[in-house]
Each structure stands twice: as structure tokens, then as C-alpha cells.
Amino acid sequence: MKIGIFFGLLSAGLFGASTPFAQLLLGTIDPWMMAGLLYLGARAGLAVIQLSRASLSLPALEAPLRRADVPWLALVILAGGVLGPLLLMFGLARTDATSASLDRTP
């Protein structure tokens, strides 16, 4: 299996597993704080990867950012990086665990 496919599946699984744990914590943590903590954890994980790449002298694999990409990037950051997690935490704070579950079998 290609390593990219493995990491994609792993990240999808971890993202799916984070929702029930986030809902457990929302009883004691404000949704704004919880959304911030999720992104702080994501940034910490990316920092480890970035530092590992630098220490192993591996090249960066990102495409260069062009001026025409900036408005789209800003929209993606606003929708997926700010509003999405915040609305998810507010939704989880107001929904019971049974309703929020992905399993809809009777």
C-alpha cells in the first residue's frame, strides 16, 4: 500500500474518532475552547512532521503559493479552519450522543 493512502485512511479514522471524544469533553469545556484545542493539537502534530522532515533533510512537497491562490486560500481557511470546527463543537454541545452518532441502525 502506498504510504499516502495509509496516512489518508489514518487521518480519516482519527478525525472520525475525535468527534465522540470531543462531545465527552464539551460538558466541561466551552465549544470555542474545544475548537481551539483541536486545532492546537493538529498544529502540534504538523510541527512534529515538519521538524522531522527538516532534521532528515527531506524536501518539501508542497506546491508554491501563487497570488491568485490567496483569495481561495482565505476562503478555505475561513470555512474549513474557523467556521467548520466551531459549528461542529456548537452542534455537538447541543446534541445528545445517540443523535450525533453516525450509526443509524434501529
Side-chain angles (χ1 to χ4, degrees), residues 74-86:
L75 184 62
V76 167
I77 290 171
L78 178 66
V82 177
L83 294 177
L86 189 58

Side-chain angles (χ1 to χ4, degrees), residues 35-49:
L37 288 173
L38 287 174
Y39 271 89
L40 181 64
R43 178 58 190 135
L46 288 174
V48 169
I49 290 172

Side-chain angles (χ1 to χ4, degrees), residues 10-100:
L10 179 64
S11 65
L14 290 174
F15 179 78
S18 69
T19 303
F21 291 118
Q23 189 166 20
L24 289 174
L25 292 174
L26 280 173
T28 58
I29 297 176
D30 183 60
W32 288 88
M33 178 68 79
M34 190 65 201
L37 288 173
L38 287 174
Y39 271 89
L40 181 64
R43 178 58 190 135
L46 288 174
V48 169
I49 290 172
Q50 189 174 16
L51 292 172
S52 298
R53 291 183 80 70
S55 67
L56 296 173
S57 300
L58 296 173
L61 302 175
E62 295 88 16
L65 185 63
R66 299 173 302 180
R67 185 177 298 268
D69 297 330
V70 173
W72 288 105
L73 180 63
L75 184 62
V76 167
I77 290 171
L78 178 66
V82 177
L83 294 177
L86 189 58
L87 292 174
L88 173 67
M89 292 304 116
F90 276 117
L92 287 176
R94 288 164 177 75
T95 306
D96 62 354
T98 307
S99 299

Side-chain angles (χ1 to χ4, degrees), residues 3-14:
I3 192 74
I5 295 171
F6 170 74
F7 284 136
L9 291 172
L10 179 64
S11 65
L14 290 174

